[in-house]
Amino acid sequence: MKLTHYTVSKYALISLQILVLVFVSPLHAKAPQKIQIQTVIDEAYNKFSQQNPGKNADYIPALAKVDSAYFGLALVTPDGKIYTKGDVDQSFSIQSISKVFTLALAMEEKGAQTILDKVGVNATGLAFNSVTAIEQNPARSVNPLVNAGAMATVSLLDGSNDKAKWSTLAAWYDKFANRQLSVLQDVYKSESDTNSHNRAIAELLVSYDRFYGDVDLNLDIYTRQCSVAVTAKDLAIMASVFANNGVHPLTGKRLMSSDNVARVLAVMTTAGLYENSGQWAYQVGLPAKSGVGGGIIAVSPGQFSVAVFSPRLDAAGNSIRAQQAIDYIAEQLDANVF
Ligand code: DON
């Protein structure tokens, strides 16, 4: 057969495609990405492990006793790969990070409109335990990530008694973590003994008809949810459901609707780091949520979830090293959603 110019270039093109498929995609596109994520996690750890500014939360006495040297980073991709560095198996209390998972359950049970109408979704711009935030808003509207809104969200959950409500909530958290979590009893007791400020907030909401059940019962459930023991690895796995549009990357099961995922991420963007949320969005550009136990989760939709644990906090109650590490990781992985 006489090879025409056309057939030569056709064969050349097919060979090139085969070369690309066989060699470039599996070896040169996927493998470096895997190496690159681990490199970035290692770099973030090394960059910030020698400095540890801030101070542990101490208004809950048990938190002051946590070793402030802990530093753990975990990242999960939607295909279920887990990258870790440092103290990623150390348990600590989930604290306010619990609020996003409780919000997710309330949305699934009651619908997104109920949260908008009965709790509110605007950022308060004030501290997480602010009474002023309630007082200055004529509708007494807050958001589900500050203490007032989080307790109101708990009060909306299904369950006629303490046992029923807690078992549903605990099972919900377990589904996200893909394992059975437990409560850190010392933190639960310590916070229960000292939570008169939260009780005052709940009572204030009752006075404005913005609390939807018994104060004792719902305050107790809220306190228990904040005392759930998690590791940085657990949190990255839990947050991976938000990064994967509501489907758990490790089980393939859908836990929540993609509409509700979008709404949870919206509230995380505007209020996840309280009065510092604007600066965080400006600088890092990822929906995130902090807890006074020292954890922070952040979500890059469709790309990854990341969790960092480091107990020392800034004045707003956000872990300083966790913010630094996530800022670095987001920048290196070009993850800013904006
Ligand atoms: O209710 C509280 O004050 C704590 N259980 C949770 C506060 C918290 O984690 C604020 N986050 N940065």
Side-chain angles (χ1 to χ4, degrees):
M1 185 178 75
K2 185 169 175 276
L3 291 177
T4 60
H5 196 65
Y6 167 73
T7 29
V8 171
S9 55
K10 194 173 126 192
Y11 280 113
L13 200 67
I14 291 167
S15 317
L16 193 69
Q17 279 175 340
I18 291 169
L19 268 173
V20 168
L21 281 173
V22 172
F23 293 106
V24 178
S25 345
L27 295 177
H28 297 259
K30 284 190 183 141
Q33 194 207 3
K34 188 178 170 196
I35 293 163
Q36 196 207 338
I37 292 177
Q38 189 60 52
T39 306
V40 169
I41 297 288
D42 293 348
E43 282 171 3
Y45 180 87
N46 294 333
K47 206 166 154 56
F48 302 108
S49 61
Q50 296 311 312
Q51 35 177 296
N52 193 7
K55 128 178 174 351
N56 283 30
D58 57 8
Y59 74 99
I60 299 169
L63 299 185
K65 295 189 200 139
V66 174
D67 184 348
S68 53
Y70 287 132
F71 190 30
L73 297 80
L75 185 150
V76 178
T77 49
D79 56 2
K81 292 202 181 77
I82 304 173
Y83 305 84
T84 61
K85 179 77 180 174
D87 303 311
V88 289
D89 295 316
Q90 176 60 43
S91 290
F92 57 98
S93 56
I94 187 169
Q95 294 299 339
S96 285
I97 302 170
S98 64
K99 293 167 180 171
V100 290
F101 301 102
T102 298
L103 169 62
L105 177 59
M107 278 179 166
E108 290 294 308
E109 283 183 356
K110 304 291 177 192
Q113 189 66 39
T114 301
I115 300 299
L116 183 60
D117 295 341
K118 298 197 157 195
V119 180
V121 294
N122 279 332
T124 65
L126 293 170
F128 61 83
N129 57 359
S130 173
V131 170
T132 311
I134 306 165
E135 288 295 301
Q136 74 181 11
N137 186 305
R140 314 302 168 196
S141 173
V142 281
N143 72 68
L145 303 187
V146 295
N147 291 8
M151 289 187 284
T153 304
V154 169
S155 76
L156 283 169
L157 293 176
D158 288 342
S160 51
N161 57 39
D162 180 89
K163 202 166 168 229
K165 199 176 254 205
W166 176 254
S167 60
T168 306
L169 188 60
W172 177 250
Y173 284 23
D174 291 351
K175 276 189 199 159
F176 280 77
N178 197 33
R179 75 175 183 100
Q180 198 174 357
L181 300 172
S182 59
V183 169
L184 282 172
Q185 292 300 329
D186 63 327
V187 176
Y188 175 43
K189 182 170 186 330
S190 181
E191 186 163 346
S192 298
D193 289 346
T194 55
N195 64 0
S196 49
H197 189 83
N198 279 344
R199 178 179 295 278
I201 289 173
E203 291 289 2
L204 187 61
L205 291 174
V206 170
S207 78
Y208 292 129
D209 291 327
R210 300 283 291 180
F211 202 80
Y212 309 100
D214 181 73
V215 167
D216 281 333
L217 185 152
N218 290 292
L219 177 63
D220 181 56
I221 300 263
Y222 167 79
T223 307
R224 231 181 300 171
Q225 79 169 42
C226 290
S227 309
V228 165
V230 287
T231 65
K233 202 197 289 176
D234 287 328
L235 282 180
I237 291 170
M238 292 172 85
S240 71
V241 177
F242 300 139
N244 198 32
N245 214 16
V247 175
H248 203 302
L250 301 184
T251 64
K253 288 195 183 128
R254 177 166 290 283
L255 297 190
M256 57 189 295
S257 74
S258 56
D259 279 359
N260 285 343
V261 170
R263 292 188 173 105
V264 168
L265 293 177
V267 186
M268 284 169 70
T269 304
T270 53
L273 266 65
Y274 307 110
E275 62 268 42
N276 285 351
S277 302
Q279 190 178 323
W280 176 263
Y282 186 85
Q283 211 171 312
V284 182
L286 288 184
K289 183 72 207 85
S290 63
V292 286
I296 298 186
I297 58 170
V299 175
S300 174
Q303 304 300 315
F304 63 82
S305 57
V306 61
V308 178
F309 168 48
S310 177
R312 287 194 176 154
L313 313 176
D314 64 15
N318 303 318
S319 165
I320 295 178
R321 274 202 304 201
Q323 289 178 80
Q324 291 172 328
I326 295 171
D327 186 357
Y328 180 82
I329 292 164
E331 169 111 44
Q332 296 303 308
L333 298 180
D334 201 15
N336 188 323
V337 297
F338 303 114

